[in-house]
Amino acid sequence: MGKRGRGSKRQSASGVTLRAQGTGPIKRTQQSPFDPAGSDEVEYVVDTIKAERLSGAIPQWLIGWKGYSDAADTWEPIDNLVGHEQDIKAFRVRRKEEAEEESASFAAKKKQRKEEAEKSKQDDDGFEDAFGGKRRSACWKHFTIQKDPETGKITFVKCTLCPPENAPMPFSGNTTNLRSHLSSCHKDAFSQISAASGDVNEGSSAQGTIDELVPQVSAEKRDELHKLISLWLVRCRRPLTLPEHDAEFRDIFQCIFKDQYTPPTYKLVMQNVLAISAEAKLHVVWFLKELLSEGILPSIGGDIWSQGGISVFGILVYWLDKNFVYHERLLAAIPFFDVRHTGSELERATKVACASFGIGEYRIDAADDDDVVTVLEDTVSDFIHATCSDNASNIVNGWRCFDGHECCDHTIALIVKAYLDHPRVRKVFMKLRGMTMHFNHSVIGSKLLRQCQKRHDLPESKPPQDNDTRTGWGGACKQATWYCENQVAIQLYDVDNPTRAATAVPNPDGSVYKTHQLVGDEWDVVRESMYLLTYAKNAVDLLQSTKTVTANLFLPIASKLAFMAHADTPVKFNNKPVSILNEHVKMAREALYKDCCKRWFNDMLDCKLEDFAVATLLDPRHKNFQFKFAERWMRGRFTADQAVSWATNIYEKDWKPKEVACTKPPTKKQKTGASAKVVTVASFLDSDSEDEGEHVLAEPQDVEGKSELELYLEFPLAKKNVDVQEWWRVNAHKFPSVARMARQFLGVPASTAGVERAFSIVTGMHSDLRKNLTEKTIEHSLMAALN
């Protein structure tokens, strides 16, 4: 027995002496037999000795204590086991006997395996070769051997599947050449051998192995496969009739499932698309409901796509959730091929689509014979923070009831067009198009051009064609870059091949290469235009590269483009300063500068400019933006102080928390003063609260009399490569009210690139949708693909 209590002790593995703890007659309950706490009268009885080990050079035994579970087992030295010497000896004898029994059992099993192997060798139907080995490969089933009578070694083998008159094959000592012969001459026999494992079985075959792997398809599994195939079709832009009309596609499923599953027909695909679309719409409705309950309004973007007699009006909704994840979801893709593209029709279609998702209410009376529509209720504009539309006048007029702006990348295209419309610049780029047409249509011209490029160690390539039919500047930038890089090769082509170039096949428009050659300072126009167009191209690439580029980058991009366009400022290309010396380029640059100022500064409404300024300040990378370029080109009143004043007024009025208890979500957006789209959120519940019932917002987190907005503006500036959403996700707890304000203003899209991405799906499905162009085939397909 072992005794524990006051005064008792045991030696731990670390050599520290532990004594019973506590004073007075009552001690705390022991957690284990050798818990140092306890009374003087507690005794512990050894139940069994389970194991033995060496701790250093000291033997220890694992003791199971009577009345305690295995969790209370402890390793004890001999000092704690006085009186149990005989138990230790008996444990060692028992352990030795168990080890001997285990060793004998292992030896018996080893002997049995050896005897079975010997017996297997004796029963083997293989034969010994000249090298003393057994031939057990499955391919020997189809071969006979021929031995040398003198040496007894195998010299030749003959295939039993080949005609008898075929000569035997030399034996190489292994079955490599035998298997090669079967794989090339007897594929069925080789397939059976490959499918067999171990000894050759007459009934084994590759087909039998495949049949065993065919999965069983239940009704639920079949419906799930139908749904997955339908979702794949719309997301990967495949024709919806593909499973029904593509035989190779069906053969894949026939091979996998045999007759247990058949891909869905077009009708089943459409049924699944409708079901997926309904689920996606409910998901978006739930998201928007949660967003509005937090006092934050979504933004929308829209554009019209037309091709081959088909016209679709697409509307997307944008917002930032409380984790600062940017969401871009489809609201509607409305067929507009039989509707007049007027502003009133676009406004009505937009409000109907928004109301169907719970963004406000919109009810109209049925139109009479004069097509007069009576609006009974319209609150949609109160629940839309801002819009981003295409620059076409019809949609701009239709969305004039909302607070918003035109697409930034489309605006850049229109601004650059003012530069390309300058007479001298336009003439030069018309020549570039003619030269490009020559090199892309003349076989002799393209061959001679490659020779000139090779002589100057230039990559062999043709000039890119200008396929931008809307503004004509996207291809112009690529052409200017290509011709600047290949200027030496083009000039060599003009010098070395004047006759062949002059007599080359005319272009499709009837013009000849000689009339398109660049002369004099026209090369300077191309080179200096490339500098300016690259600025604009980089801005458009930034706006279209990711869907998370929002209104916070509008003023920085616009200011940089205006700065570049100003005739008195230097230009950098590839981080090196370059000079603009050509007088024609200077005049065209001035036109670019005036159009930029007109579209992005002087003609912009105050409410739009205010939104962009606040969004810029709420970007932690640009909150010290001085607006110095905008100040220079505006009407002398837009400064950095003005932007901060706007942001402060909006924060103090609508976003700063107040001691107001509230249990109802917002109903309308408040429109007051110059700010036409601010919303009162002070009385709303905290977006992070999960409790129910009444809540009172906490006091504003002022430090030394400063508001959250002031503390945010004084916070260290973020680096230029920092992700804005990630920065706010990490730092939102420091500025909770400003973070909510940032979710509102940073959720405004800068361009309609998202709508154009949706249209690309329609383009991919165009051939399938053309015959059945309805709301079901367009809107529901896009809803399933994008949401």
Side-chain angles (χ1 to χ4, degrees):
M1 292 186 180
K3 188 175 181 179
R4 286 292 173 262
R6 181 177 298 178
S8 61
K9 64 181 180 180
R10 68 179 173 89
Q11 192 82 8
S12 70
S14 61
V16 179
T17 300
L18 303 176
R19 297 183 178 276
Q21 301 175 357
T23 58
I26 300 177
K27 308 294 187 292
R28 65 180 175 85
T29 303
Q30 290 84 7
Q31 302 300 319
S32 67
F34 285 101
D35 192 327
S39 64
D40 294 336
E41 304 301 328
V42 176
E43 294 183 349
Y44 303 92
V45 179
V46 176
D47 184 31
T48 181
I49 300 177
K50 299 182 178 181
E52 182 179 358
R53 72 178 184 184
L54 285 177
S55 179
I58 302 175
Q60 293 181 348
W61 289 266
L62 183 63
I63 306 300
W65 300 97
K66 191 173 182 179
Y68 292 88
S69 64
D70 293 343
D73 293 352
T74 58
W75 289 95
E76 301 296 334
I78 192 65
D79 298 346
N80 293 342
L81 300 174
V82 177
H84 292 277
E85 292 80 0
Q86 294 301 323
D87 295 336
I88 293 175
K89 289 181 180 180
F91 165 75
R92 287 180 171 177
V93 171
R94 185 173 66 254
R95 187 179 64 173
K96 183 178 180 182
E97 293 175 352
E98 291 175 354
E100 291 175 352
E101 291 177 0
E102 183 177 356
S103 177
S105 176
F106 177 78
K109 292 181 180 179
K110 183 177 180 181
K111 183 179 179 180
Q112 182 181 0
R113 287 196 300 269
K114 186 176 181 180
E115 292 175 352
E116 291 176 354
E118 292 295 334
K119 184 178 180 181
S120 176
K121 289 182 179 180
Q122 294 175 3
D123 296 339
D124 190 6
D125 58 354
F127 57 90
E128 293 186 1
D129 60 13
F131 306 98
K134 283 282 186 179
R135 295 294 150 192
R136 304 183 189 89
S137 175
C139 65
W140 284 108
K141 175 183 179 181
H142 304 292
F143 290 91
T144 60
I145 63 172
Q146 297 179 8
K147 292 185 179 181
D148 188 341
E150 297 181 358
T151 61
K153 294 182 178 181
I154 302 175
T155 55
F156 295 95
V157 293
K158 186 174 179 59
C159 178
T160 59
L161 301 176
C162 293
E165 60 272 13
N166 285 15
M169 297 182 298
F171 179 63
S172 60
N174 55 49
T175 60
T176 302
N177 60 334
L178 309 185
R179 297 177 65 86
S180 299
H181 173 76
L182 291 176
S183 64
S184 59
C185 301
H186 312 288
K187 296 185 181 297
D188 293 339
F190 182 76
S191 299
Q192 293 179 359
I193 293 173
S194 300
S197 59
D199 295 335
V200 177
N201 297 321
E202 296 292 341
S204 65
S205 64
Q207 186 63 39
T209 304
I210 292 176
D211 291 341
E212 295 175 359
L213 298 176
V214 174
Q216 301 297 318
V217 181
S218 61
E220 294 78 7
K221 193 70 174 179
R222 178 200 61 206
D223 295 340
E224 184 180 357
L225 287 171
H226 284 350
K227 186 175 181 179
L228 289 175
I229 290 175
S230 304
L231 188 60
W232 171 76
L233 291 174
V234 294
R235 286 189 174 175
C236 296
R237 308 168 190 178
R238 301 295 192 272
L240 300 184
T241 56
L242 184 146
E244 185 175 357
H245 296 156
D246 194 320
E248 289 77 8
F249 183 83
R250 297 196 307 272
D251 289 344
I252 295 175
F253 289 90
Q254 174 64 23
C255 178
I256 298 175
F257 297 101
K258 299 306 178 185
D259 296 326
Q260 298 191 45
Y261 177 74
T262 302
T265 62
Y266 174 78
K267 184 177 181 180
L268 288 175
V269 169
M270 284 309 308
Q271 290 177 0
N272 281 279
V273 169
L274 292 175
I276 297 171
S277 173
E279 295 175 3
K281 183 174 181 179
L282 290 176
H283 193 60
V284 176
V285 170
W286 181 85
F287 264 121
L288 293 173
K289 183 178 179 181
E290 289 292 317
L291 186 74
L292 292 172
S293 67
E294 297 174 13
I296 298 176
L297 306 181
S299 299
I300 60 174
D303 197 357
I304 298 179
W305 171 80
S306 299
Q307 179 181 342
I310 299 175
S311 183
V312 179
F313 179 36
I315 307 174
L316 266 66
V317 61
Y318 308 86
W319 74 90
L320 281 170
D321 63 18
K322 58 185 175 183
N323 293 321
F324 283 88
V325 176
Y326 194 79
H327 292 269
E328 178 186 87
R329 302 300 178 92
L330 181 73
L331 273 185
I334 308 168
F336 250 57
F337 65 96
D338 58 350
V339 180
R340 294 182 61 196
H341 293 191
T342 61
S344 59
E345 291 290 346
L346 293 171
E347 178 186 354
R348 185 182 303 116
T350 302
K351 292 184 176 180
V352 169
C354 291
S356 67
F357 279 81
I359 306 177
E361 297 289 340
Y362 186 72
R363 294 188 299 109
I364 59 177
D365 194 7
D368 56 19
D369 296 336
D370 297 331
D371 293 335
V372 177
V373 177
T374 303
V375 178
L376 301 179
E377 184 179 8
D378 182 8
T379 61
V380 173
S381 58
D382 296 327
F383 289 84
I384 298 295
H385 173 66
T387 61
C388 178
S389 68
D390 181 67
N391 296 63
S393 58
N394 55 352
I395 189 172
V396 171
N397 293 330
W399 282 15
R400 202 173 292 279
C401 58
F402 304 108
D403 301 322
H405 62 93
E406 292 77 36
C407 176
C408 293
D409 54 351
H410 290 171
T411 303
I412 292 176
L414 295 173
I415 291 173
V416 174
K417 191 173 183 298
Y419 173 84
L420 295 174
D421 283 343
H422 186 271
R424 185 66 174 177
V425 174
R426 183 173 64 250
K427 179 181 178 181
V428 172
F429 277 91
M430 288 294 293
K431 286 189 172 184
L432 293 186
R433 294 188 182 95
M435 294 170 66
T436 300
M437 194 180 304
H438 167 74
F439 289 120
N440 281 276
H441 288 84
S442 173
V443 177
I444 297 176
S446 61
K447 180 179 179 181
L448 296 176
L449 174 63
R450 288 195 298 269
Q451 293 177 359
C452 295
Q453 291 172 331
K454 188 174 181 180
R455 289 174 60 182
H456 288 277
D457 297 328
L458 294 172
E460 297 182 11
S461 61
K462 294 181 181 181
Q465 299 190 39
D466 185 1
N467 296 322
D468 193 337
T469 58
R470 179 170 184 177
T471 60
W473 83 275
C477 180
K478 296 178 182 178
Q479 285 185 353
T481 303
W482 188 91
Y483 279 99
C484 287
E485 294 173 351
N486 292 270
Q487 178 179 351
V488 178
I490 297 296
Q491 291 174 335
L492 181 63
Y493 178 87
D494 296 340
V495 173
D496 291 354
N497 307 283
T499 303
R500 306 187 75 175
T503 59
V505 178
N507 291 336
D509 61 355
S511 62
V512 294
Y513 176 79
K514 185 177 181 180
T515 60
H516 301 303
Q517 289 177 305
L518 298 181
V519 294
D521 62 348
E522 291 179 339
W523 281 107
D524 296 333
V525 175
V526 176
R527 183 177 59 259
E528 295 178 6
S529 296
M530 178 189 65
Y531 302 152
L532 303 176
L533 294 177
T534 302
Y535 264 84
K537 182 178 181 298
N538 292 338
V540 172
D541 290 343
L542 175 62
L543 291 169
Q544 295 183 343
S545 61
T546 173
K547 65 181 182 181
T548 58
V549 176
T550 59
N552 55 302
L553 293 180
F554 177 87
L555 285 178
I557 290 176
S559 298
K560 184 176 181 180
L561 185 61
F563 175 78
M564 174 275 302
H566 196 273
D568 297 332
T569 55
V571 175
K572 285 188 177 181
F573 182 77
N574 293 335
N575 295 325
K576 295 181 180 179
V578 293
S579 300
I580 303 295
L581 302 177
N582 187 278
E583 293 298 328
H584 301 291
V585 175
K586 287 183 178 180
M587 289 187 290
R589 187 183 180 189
E590 185 67 22
L592 174 67
Y593 161 72
K594 291 180 179 179
D595 199 66
C596 181
C597 295
K598 177 179 181 297
R599 292 182 182 273
W600 268 350
F601 297 104
N602 295 327
D603 288 353
M604 183 175 291
L605 298 178
D606 290 350
C607 60
K608 298 181 182 179
L609 187 62
E610 181 179 342
D611 265 3
F612 289 133
V614 174
T616 304
L617 293 178
L618 293 176
D619 186 335
R621 304 168 301 178
H622 300 293
K623 60 184 179 180
N624 65 342
F625 194 72
Q626 295 300 310
F627 303 94
K628 56 183 179 180
F629 305 137
E631 178 184 355
R632 182 186 308 170
W633 298 316
M634 288 296 293
R635 290 157 286 186
R637 57 180 178 78
F638 182 35
T639 63
D641 293 337
Q642 177 65 61
V644 174
S645 176
W646 281 340
T648 303
N649 291 338
I650 294 175
Y651 171 76
E652 295 288 341
K653 180 180 179 182
D654 302 302
W655 298 96
K656 186 176 181 179
K658 299 178 177 62
E659 294 183 10
V660 179
C662 179
T663 59
K664 296 190 298 182
T667 55
K668 284 189 177 182
K669 180 174 62 171
Q670 303 296 324
K671 293 186 176 182
T672 56
S675 177
K677 48 190 171 307
V678 294
V679 57
T680 304
V681 298
S683 60
F684 296 159
L685 302 181
D686 183 38
S687 60
D688 296 328
S689 175
E690 298 180 357
D691 300 330
E692 297 181 356
E694 282 194 350
H695 292 265
V696 178
L697 295 175
E699 289 285 338
Q701 299 180 0
D702 293 344
V703 178
E704 298 179 356
K706 295 182 179 180
S707 66
E708 275 188 24
L709 182 62
E710 293 174 322
L711 295 175
Y712 161 74
L713 294 176
E714 295 176 359
F715 200 72
L717 193 69
K719 296 181 179 179
K720 297 299 181 184
N721 59 350
V722 169
D723 182 80
V724 178
Q725 280 78 34
E726 180 62 28
W727 189 93
W728 274 110
R729 188 180 301 115
V730 174
N731 296 280
H733 67 281
K734 301 176 183 177
F735 320 102
S737 300
V738 180
R740 292 163 59 84
M741 182 177 172
R743 288 175 57 192
Q744 181 75 89
F745 285 88
L746 297 183
V748 181
S751 72
T752 58
V755 188
E756 294 172 359
R757 284 192 290 268
F759 289 156
S760 65
I761 298 178
V762 179
T763 305
M765 302 168 64
H766 180 70
S767 59
D768 182 60
L769 298 177
R770 192 169 187 174
K771 65 178 183 182
N772 219 352
L773 187 62
T774 63
E775 184 177 349
K776 292 183 179 180
T777 56
I778 293 181
E779 182 166 12
H780 291 285
S781 296
L782 290 178
M783 190 74 67
L786 298 177
N787 294 344

